[in-house]
Amino acid sequence: MWTLPLTSSLVVMNIILSAAQTLKFTSASLSRHSNTVAFATRRSSSSQVRTQASTRNLRSRAAASTLTHISSATTRPLAFQHFSTLTDPAIAMTTTIDVEKEYPLQMTDDERYLFDLNGFVIIRNVLTPDEIAAANAAIDRKQSGMIERSEDTPALRNAMKGTSFYGNGTGRKDLGGVLEWELEDSEVFKSILAHPRLVPLFHGILGKGYRMDHLPFVIAQDQGAEGFALHGGTIDCNSGEYNPELAYTTHNGFIRSALLGCNVMLTDHDEGYGGFCVVPGSHKSNFKMPDGMVNGEKYKEFIIQPKTKAGDVVLFSEGTVHGAMAWTPETQRRVCLYRFGPATNVYGRSYFNEQTGQTMWPDKMYEGLNDAQKAVLEPPYANRLDRPEIVLERGSDGKVVAEKVTYSSRNERKKQHDQQLFGTKYF
């Protein structure tokens, strides 16, 4: 009769016991994963597609958890040690919860540091794939209204001929009226006004009561289309004069930018594609830009084109020198550019309706807006004069929403006094 040596018998028994423990763990692990998926599903009824993808991912990880568990067991048979780099099942559970990661209620320390360091910050995945598709479909329907800055209109060109920013001569295309389109086409664009992912940054950079300063519009570049020479800056790129209307300051831990650019990316901007570019840190520069750099001909290594994906948002101080490079891919570049300012700052004047003489934007802009979005369309005046301020709160499903407002106000007796003195409760 054939028998095994004692040491070999112990090894075999070790393998059998480990396999038995593994099967027991797998059953429990699958049960825990199922509970996790059910929890994620309850939280994400509005994100069914992402939840289903997460569920499939969890199932595949659960199937691999047998090998993973063996790798982390106290007794680790030699034959299974090469699986030790596989994902731990606890990580899979954590990832499922993070699929529906909630938006912060305030600008984070990381965001504050990066914005102050560079003069811009990229917020990833602000728009969902469905929202990106809806925005681009709306642009497709309206693209006959695009106005090209062609070579026939040299006064509208944004780059010097013969420079890298100029491209092959094709002009940039602009499309306005995005907030005045019918609700089906304007809804995504209107959502940016008080998007719950962006409001904490708007508050952190501009303060509560921030307002839309310019009319937003779509920028499109076909292959070879010109970009935009470097411009902006707290110190003017060309004249070297101080630009108070683009001022950037920090005091006692607070950031304030007199004018904030908000670039909503509707197409991918991979490395070398062109489009939005920036000189990081230039919002703190105290000197005029060297000759030739404005046109991208000198010191190119300091002019950065950030890599972004459709749905990302780039927030940049207008005090940070920026521009756009000529576009290289065959697919059309598309972004929607907004500018926002603090409650009492103003650069543009389109909020003043020339037809009616009222300080109101066009009527169509207000269609379908909630109170928070309407608050961003207020004209410039101080918060204490009953200015609506957006309130961020968590809904019943735990998600951050920005739909309501509160008011900063003086006491009623002072309002009564001003009414008697000036004939209006606001001085």
Side-chain angles (χ1 to χ4, degrees):
M1 181 177 177
W2 181 72
T3 59
L4 286 172
L6 178 59
T7 53
S8 299
S9 298
L10 289 174
V11 171
V12 172
M13 288 180 65
N14 188 18
I15 294 173
I16 293 171
L17 286 172
S18 296
Q21 290 172 352
T22 296
L23 291 172
K24 181 179 179 181
F25 171 84
T26 303
S27 176
S29 177
L30 287 170
S31 176
R32 287 197 302 273
H33 282 306
S34 297
N35 291 336
T36 304
V37 172
F39 172 73
T41 303
R42 288 196 301 271
R43 295 184 61 199
S44 57
S45 58
S46 64
S47 305
Q48 186 177 3
V49 174
R50 282 184 291 176
T51 302
Q52 289 173 345
S54 176
T55 303
R56 289 194 298 270
N57 187 39
L58 279 174
R59 285 172 178 166
S60 64
R61 292 192 181 199
S65 63
T66 299
L67 301 178
T68 308
H69 177 68
I70 291 172
S71 71
S72 59
T74 303
T75 304
R76 184 174 299 167
L78 181 63
F80 295 132
Q81 285 186 2
H82 63 282
F83 292 115
S84 62
T85 57
L86 293 179
T87 305
D88 188 273
I91 297 175
M93 294 172 66
T94 303
T95 302
T96 305
I97 295 173
D98 286 347
V99 166
E100 290 301 314
K101 187 175 182 180
E102 303 300 346
Y103 296 150
L105 292 172
Q106 296 180 334
M107 188 177 185
T108 67
D109 290 341
D110 289 7
E111 291 165 346
R112 186 179 294 107
Y113 174 80
L114 292 173
F115 188 85
D116 182 60
L117 175 69
N118 294 309
F120 73 99
V121 66
I122 302 171
I123 311 302
R124 305 290 182 184
N125 303 312
V126 173
L127 296 182
T128 66
D130 286 346
E131 289 170 328
I132 298 164
N136 278 301
I139 295 170
D140 289 341
R141 288 189 284 271
K142 306 291 184 181
Q143 64 179 338
S144 61
M146 287 184 176
I147 300 173
E148 182 178 344
R149 297 171 180 252
S150 68
E151 290 187 308
D152 295 334
T153 53
L156 295 179
R157 300 292 283 190
N158 292 318
M160 182 181 293
K161 192 170 185 178
T163 65
S164 59
F165 284 147
Y166 193 83
N168 63 13
T170 303
R172 190 186 88 179
K173 296 177 180 178
D174 300 337
L175 177 63
V178 296
L179 299 184
E180 300 171 66
W181 296 341
E182 51 273 19
L183 189 57
E184 177 190 3
D185 287 341
S186 65
E187 186 173 13
V188 174
F189 299 99
K190 287 177 175 176
S191 74
I192 298 299
L193 298 177
H195 196 288
R197 180 63 185 95
L198 299 177
V199 169
L201 288 107
F202 291 152
H203 283 170
I205 299 170
L206 303 170
K208 292 185 177 181
Y210 71 90
R211 54 179 294 274
M212 186 176 78
D213 189 88
H214 289 43
L215 288 166
F217 67 107
V218 171
I219 295 173
Q221 286 175 269
D222 294 322
Q223 188 175 33
E226 74 160 348
F228 203 133
L230 295 180
H231 57 283
T234 52
I235 302 299
D236 189 86
C237 291
N238 293 294
S239 69
E241 296 291 325
Y242 175 60
N243 284 328
E245 67 275 14
L246 304 181
Y248 176 86
T249 59
T250 57
H251 182 71
N252 197 29
F254 290 93
I255 291 173
R256 285 296 176 267
S257 183
L259 191 64
L260 182 72
C262 175
N263 240 345
V264 180
M265 303 306 193
L266 299 175
T267 53
D268 292 350
H269 291 59
D270 290 336
E271 186 173 357
Y273 275 23
F276 178 78
C277 61
V278 65
V279 180
S282 54
H283 59 312
K284 298 180 180 180
S285 175
N286 292 302
F287 302 97
K288 177 180 174 292
M289 181 168 283
D291 293 339
M293 189 174 178
V294 168
N295 295 311
E297 298 303 294
K298 290 180 66 177
Y299 306 114
K300 294 181 180 180
E301 65 272 26
F302 298 104
I303 306 171
I304 307 301
Q305 179 238 305
K307 293 190 295 184
T308 56
K309 295 295 183 183
D312 293 345
V313 171
V314 180
L315 299 179
F316 61 98
S317 170
E318 287 282 351
T320 307
V321 175
H322 58 281
M325 297 179 177
W327 190 244
T328 61
E330 293 181 359
T331 55
Q332 187 180 72
R333 176 194 183 224
R334 289 179 177 179
V335 302
C336 189
L337 177 61
Y338 301 70
R339 275 92 155 206
F340 298 98
T344 55
N345 280 59
V346 59
Y347 186 108
R349 56 172 289 173
S350 50
Y351 71 92
F352 186 82
N353 192 315
E354 296 180 3
Q355 283 72 38
T356 65
Q358 297 177 329
T359 53
M360 298 289 284
W361 302 90
D363 291 341
K364 287 185 178 181
M365 281 194 186
Y366 295 87
E367 294 178 3
L369 298 186
N370 59 38
D371 288 344
Q373 292 166 338
K374 290 177 182 176
V376 184
L377 301 185
E378 285 290 294
Y381 59 93
N383 294 53
R384 63 192 290 260
L385 302 179
D386 296 334
R387 187 176 193 88
E389 299 174 355
I390 296 172
V391 176
L392 283 171
E393 56 187 359
R394 296 198 184 277
S396 58
D397 59 356
K399 294 182 179 180
V400 176
V401 294
E403 297 176 351
K404 299 178 181 179
V405 297
T406 187
Y407 294 86
S408 297
S409 184
R410 299 173 299 149
N411 67 56
E412 292 301 320
R413 184 62 187 86
K414 287 186 176 179
K415 293 180 184 178
Q416 181 184 349
H417 176 77
D418 287 344
Q419 183 70 48
Q420 294 173 334
L421 183 63
F422 301 116
T424 172
K425 61 181 179 180
Y426 302 117
F427 53 82

